[in-house]
Amino acid sequence: LDTMTKNPGTEERPKWDNKVQYLLTCIGFAVGIGNVWRFPYLCQIYGGGAFLIPYLIALVFEGLPLLYLELAIGQRLRMGSIGVWNGISPVLGGVGIASMVVSFLVSLFYNTIIAWVLWYFFNSFQNPLPWSQCPLNANQTGYSSECEKSTSVNYFWYRETLNLTEDIEISGSLQWWMVISLATAWLVIYICFIRGLDSMGKAVYVTATFPYLVLTIFLIRALTLPGATDGLVYLFTPDWEILKSPQVWLDAATQIFFSLSVAFGGLIAFSSYNAERNDCERDALVVGITNSATSLYASIPIFSILGFKARTNFNTCLEQNILTLTNHFDIAERNMTLENYDQWYDYLNLTHPGDIASLPLRVCDLQNFLDQSASGTGLAFIVFTEAVLEMPGSQVWAILFFVMLFSLGLSSMFGNIEGVLTPLKELKLVPKWLPHEVSTAIVCLVSFLVGLIFTLGSGNYWVEVFNAHVGSVPLLVIAFFELVGVAYVHGIKTFSEDIYFMTGRRPNIYWKACWMVISPLMLLVVFVAYVALQAGAYPTYPAWNPDYEHFPETETKEYPKWVFGIIVVLIVVPILSIPVVAVYNLIRCGIKKSSANVSRPNPYSNEAFEIETQERNRQSI
Amino acid sequence: MLGRIVFFLCLPSVLAAQLCKPNAAEGFKVRLSIKTALGDKAYEWNRNQRFLFQAAIAFAMSHHLELEFNVSNILVCDETPRVSFWFVVTSPGDPSRLVGKESVELAVRESRSRINNILLLNDATLEFVGVLPTLTAPVKPATPSWLIVFGVVIGMVGAGIVFLLVSTVVQKKRKKNEVAEEEDDDEEAQMKRTAGNEGIYNTSFSEYDRNTQM
């Protein structure tokens, strides 16, 4: 009789088409928008080249061990985050749930950022670019005052894109153009996940490689722009004094941690689709080093362009002064130029000091313009868009830039969504008869509906709330428990045997030392320092208020009490599952005193595939 | 007699000199930035170009007030190497009387683009100090271009989703039919084989159920 299973209920676990697909997916997940808009900024404010030292130390002692751990455990136990942590010990089951919750919350606001990128992309097909001009005010007598006081680029971002209210409490209404951008973003995610790993794996060939192509094009273009060297010198000039500040080390540790996208559960899910015997040590090294190399590579064109922008602003400032002086003294045109400005100025100051004092001359300092750096959305949507206006062929550069950001964000979203879908399947919350396409559609739809919060008038403030709090403390806690769980609950000896089974060699002393001592210690220090810094001051946020007296500076406002409550909920709820599940399981095992975990399959309980290990009874409680 | 003739000949220019002076009450200061506007093709500011300017202003005044102004009614003085100067407008009927500042301003604003074009300049490079430039609103096409791009993208994504879903459903149906046929075939083939080997096929472990499923 034919014994091959004809039962349509059991599905084979999806597999990668080839190793390249797997590596590209992991690299795409790790390399995100943060590599482009966070790392260069950190490099700049923390003394350029000197920042690389704490950054590389954090990578070696914290980032790579965590990465290797997640890839190895996922590949060995061949399950997503929930199955893996339940498999190691039911007491640790909460870690998987925490990862899933964090992945879900992060994908909510991360896709809003992608929606913003899409909106700018749609608007880049215009000539001239819409953020280059101020619109007229209501009675057509002049330009809109909000636009005049700040810049047209600021106006386009804060008013025409976000339509930002002055306060987080004033919600405003749903901005329809943002809603349809968000819908587009979720539809793109859906179409990439529609066939599960098949469709996502094919999409990743494009989304993971395209950013590198664009970065190279930008690199070549940026290095030929005037002022590029100013930016690069400014970026990489090391300021060794800054290494004495603990804030630098803290930021380096948190940056490497969030940059590698560990503790989301996505990496565990990705590596679970691998063949059993795959060299995950090499994979971890490839992904980790590629991620850091990409950050460095991205910072070169970014800072060349920022240097170009600073030089252009400086020249514009000087030319305004030249015009003022030329008009006042009726000097012939083109007699005073950028080159001889200083001599003319000194001469005029000697001959007519009173006049010079009375004129509204601007102070033009190149260093000042270079210091006007920004990170995050400020870099992409304000600073960079302004720089693009000055480059010939602005539309092309704008389109390329936003498509690059879109690819970077999309490939990171793949990991986030994978970190939600795979655990959902393992929790058996999804009924078997529901096809995969429908369950994915439901997840996307629910996320879209909840994400409509971010399309309100106050949406940007909420994105900041989520970004600063969901993606920080909970991940640190989850990662800490991951390390402790594998190194102590699972046992470093068992884990070494697992790795020997997969790669053919046992991990060396460096890995073991990191997993057992160094990395958990570093995480603990980072966590404590982070909490200490945050808990010191009541959290505030920068509000865009056109009626503020110091407008266009942002007004610093305190979060209202109910928002503060939401912040606490956002931090506590994901990590709450860890102690809750642990206590629940301890009580249950105390009552039952049964040896095996009945409900979930334990990969180690199949006697037929026993490998040479001792202490198999470690996992049952 | 000769003295009187000389006096009357000199009078206009003397009057002109008195009417047109820097910071005149009814006058305007004008600044031209020809090199900024035209670069290499910049023309030299000379008497002929000034004549053209006067003619342009005379046109603007005639157009606005519907009186006949002549080039001689536009008085220019205090020229500097910047290329800036003051001008005043005298009334056509009485050359010793100046036309009010408000009328001149309105006339200039009304014909501003015309004046700009005559001198190959624009609002920024031909500056009438104190006269606000007429603002051109940014061009807004009927359908914002971003909606068009959005429509294209969402059309492609939507078509892709529909195509993939339909093909998945079709594939699943095809598989189900094949599997059902295989099962039926298998059963019948096995029954035939056992019958051919002179045995009776034991149907107790057969998956084929003669009764209809509820």
Side-chain angles (χ1 to χ4, degrees), chain B:
Chain B
M1 177 63 178
L2 192 63
R4 235 180 257 171
I5 296 171
V6 171
F7 174 72
F8 276 115
L9 280 174
C10 293
L11 188 61
S13 54
V14 169
L15 272 175
Q18 284 177 339
L19 288 171
C20 174
K21 50 185 190 286
N23 300 314
E26 311 288 346
F28 282 96
K29 179 162 183 175
V30 180
R31 269 195 215 114
L32 282 82
S33 309
I34 310 172
K35 290 203 185 113
T36 313
L38 300 169
D40 291 332
K41 302 196 186 73
Y43 51 78
E44 193 68 42
W45 183 257
N46 54 24
R47 204 189 59 175
N48 299 322
Q49 307 288 352
R50 189 176 66 232
F51 178 81
L52 191 54
F53 174 80
Q54 288 169 306
I57 301 293
F59 157 77
M61 295 301 303
S62 308
H63 181 77
H64 178 69
L65 291 177
E66 305 204 350
L67 289 172
E68 208 175 305
F69 280 83
N70 215 325
V71 174
S72 54
N73 291 120
I74 316 297
L75 305 171
V76 171
C77 56
D78 192 35
E79 280 184 50
T80 66
R82 167 73 180 84
V83 192
S84 70
F85 48 82
W86 283 83
F87 78 92
V88 291
V89 181
T90 59
S91 170
D94 180 7
S96 58
R97 212 167 49 91
L98 292 177
V99 176
K101 194 164 180 171
E102 300 81 29
S103 308
V104 179
E105 178 168 346
L106 286 171
V108 164
R109 287 189 75 180
E110 198 178 327
S111 312
R112 186 63 185 267
S113 59
R114 202 63 194 277
I115 302 173
N116 288 347
N117 286 334
I118 290 173
L119 292 167
L120 300 178
L121 300 170
N122 59 31
D123 276 3
T125 45
L126 172 58
E127 197 187 339
F128 287 83
V129 178
V131 175
L132 297 167
T134 46
L135 300 165
T136 43
V139 177
K140 276 207 162 99
T143 338
S145 62
W146 75 266
L147 266 180
I148 300 174
V149 182
F150 161 74
V152 167
V153 169
I154 211 156
M156 291 196 315
V157 172
I161 291 179
V162 165
F163 169 72
L164 284 172
L165 283 176
V166 163
S167 72
T168 312
V169 166
V170 163
Q171 258 181 24
K172 276 204 180 137
K173 263 200 195 144
R174 214 179 284 157
K175 248 194 217 162
K176 249 194 212 156
N177 287 343
E178 277 177 18
V179 169
E181 281 177 18
E182 270 181 37
E183 282 186 356
D184 291 342
D185 284 341
D186 254 1
E187 285 292 337
E188 289 179 11
Q190 279 174 8
M191 288 171 101
K192 283 205 186 115
R193 265 187 272 129
T194 44
N197 290 341
E198 294 176 7
I200 302 172
Y201 183 69
N202 186 344
T203 55
S204 49
F205 293 110
S206 151
E207 285 175 19
Y208 173 57
D209 196 341
R210 288 213 193 98
N211 302 327
T212 30
Q213 302 280 351
M214 293 295 278

Side-chain angles (χ1 to χ4, degrees), chain A residues 282-452:
Chain A
R282 228 183 33 168
D283 296 342
L285 287 171
V286 165
V287 172
I289 292 176
T290 309
N291 180 49
S292 296
T294 310
S295 293
L296 271 169
Y297 187 58
S299 54
I300 300 178
I302 296 283
F303 263 85
S304 305
I305 293 180
L306 289 182
F308 160 72
K309 175 179 170 297
R311 170 67 61 179
T312 312
N313 284 354
F314 175 69
N315 286 351
T316 312
C317 175
L318 276 184
E319 293 204 1
Q320 275 180 359
N321 283 357
I322 290 177
L323 192 66
T324 318
L325 288 172
T326 317
N327 284 350
H328 184 84
F329 292 106
D330 285 319
I331 309 166
E333 260 191 298
R334 298 291 171 87
N335 268 13
M336 201 191 298
T337 62
L338 291 169
E339 287 81 24
N340 59 23
Y341 172 76
D342 290 318
Q343 291 118 299
W344 265 103
Y345 183 76
D346 293 331
Y347 165 71
L348 287 171
N349 214 359
L350 280 169
T351 48
H352 305 90
D355 288 12
I356 295 282
S358 69
L359 285 174
L361 289 176
R362 288 179 63 188
V363 175
C364 299
D365 179 13
L366 183 62
Q367 198 61 27
N368 207 9
F369 287 114
L370 282 170
D371 281 335
Q372 281 172 4
S373 62
S375 76
T377 53
L379 176 71
F381 299 123
I382 299 179
V383 171
F384 209 81
T385 45
E386 193 181 326
V388 150
L389 287 176
E390 309 287 343
M391 293 161 69
S394 321
Q395 282 79 15
V396 173
W397 302 111
I399 293 171
L400 272 180
F401 180 65
F402 291 118
V403 174
M404 174 184 80
L405 286 186
F406 179 68
S407 304
L408 286 169
L410 196 65
S411 56
S412 294
M413 274 301 287
F414 289 159
N416 286 329
I417 297 288
E418 190 65 33
V420 174
L421 286 178
T422 315
L424 267 183
K425 277 204 210 104
E426 289 174 354
L427 275 179
K428 299 196 171 48
L429 288 175
V430 179
K432 282 263 164 105
W433 47 265
L434 202 64
H436 168 85
E437 289 82 5
V438 177
S439 58
T440 314
I442 293 177
V443 169
C444 288
L445 186 65
V446 167
S447 307
F448 166 68
L449 290 173
V450 177
L452 285 177

